[in-house]
């Protein structure tokens, strides 16, 4: 993570403990992602990675990439680091967000000060750049898209 995020003020200004917590949180969130390609390298490993050998199509490289057994793809390492930075920058994103109201009325409906003082706006739990990084490693290709095979004649 230091190699990937070094030079970023949010990362550099964080304590070692904050960085470790953010990396553990990011790892847990990504580890619970469903649909990783391949199978776990061993039946008793505590995390989803590393995986047994498999391959995926990398659109950026425009080629099939082979992942050897016991290795972690660089895009997963990068995604974990960037997700950790996201949690350092927006700590509430890691825990989710619940709406709070200063007042609410039901009959003829009235709401006021919804999410007052605590609205994080549209900060996602997992940002798009991380979703795009892990997408090729998921059986559905990420972002809810299936793999579409085609043949040029």
């Amino acid at each position: 993570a230091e190699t990937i995020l070094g030079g970023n003020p949010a990362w550099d200004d964080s304590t070692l403990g904050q960085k470790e917590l953010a990396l553990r949180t990011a790892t847990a969130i990504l580890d619970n992602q469903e649909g990783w390609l391949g199978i776990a390298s061993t039946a008793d490993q505590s995390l989803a990675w590393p995986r047994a050998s498999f391959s995926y199509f990398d659109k950026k490289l425009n080629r099939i990439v082979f992942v050897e057994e016991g290795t972690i793809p660089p895009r997963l390492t990068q995604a974990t680091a960037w997700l950790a930075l996201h949690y350092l920058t927006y700590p509430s994103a890691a825990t989710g967000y619940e709406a709070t109201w200063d007042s609410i009325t039901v009959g003829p409906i009235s709401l006021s000060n919804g999410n007052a003082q605590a609205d994080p706006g549209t900060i996602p739990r997992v940002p798009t750049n991380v979703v795009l990084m892990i997408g090729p490693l998921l059986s559905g290709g990420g972002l809810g898209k299936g793999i579409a095979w085609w043949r040029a004649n």
Side-chain angles (χ1 to χ4, degrees), residues 115-130:
N115 301 325
Q117 308 289 327
D119 186 0
T122 58
I123 299 168
R125 187 165 193 191
V126 178
T128 303
N129 68 326
V130 172

Side-chain angles (χ1 to χ4, degrees), residues 14-153:
S14 298
T15 67
L16 183 61
Q18 290 170 323
K19 292 175 184 179
E20 183 177 311
L21 178 61
L23 285 166
R24 287 177 183 264
T25 302
T27 298
I29 297 295
L30 293 176
D31 188 59
N32 286 320
Q33 176 69 46
E34 293 183 20
W36 292 115
L37 292 174
I39 59 171
S41 291
T42 64
D44 60 347
Q45 67 188 51
S46 60
L47 297 173
W49 290 88
R51 312 291 279 174
S53 299
F54 69 94
S55 61
Y56 67 93
F57 183 76
D58 190 312
K59 292 180 184 178
K60 187 175 182 179
L61 300 175
N62 196 32
R63 67 180 175 91
I64 293 177
V65 175
F66 295 95
V67 179
E68 294 182 26
E69 184 161 354
T71 62
I72 307 290
R75 65 174 47 248
L76 182 59
T77 303
Q78 293 168 359
T80 305
W82 284 106
L83 187 56
L85 178 66
H86 180 69
Y87 294 150
L88 284 172
T89 307
Y90 307 105
S92 63
T95 57
Y97 180 70
E98 294 183 19
T100 58
W101 297 91
D102 285 345
S103 66
I104 187 169
T105 310
V106 176
I109 306 177
S110 89
L111 307 169
S112 62
N113 294 330
N115 301 325
Q117 308 289 327
D119 186 0
T122 58
I123 299 168
R125 187 165 193 191
V126 178
T128 303
N129 68 326
V130 172
V131 173
L132 292 173
M133 284 181 216
I134 66 170
L137 303 174
L138 297 171
S139 59
L143 292 175
K145 298 177 184 173
I147 298 173
W149 294 99
W150 60 275
R151 184 179 94 178
N153 290 328

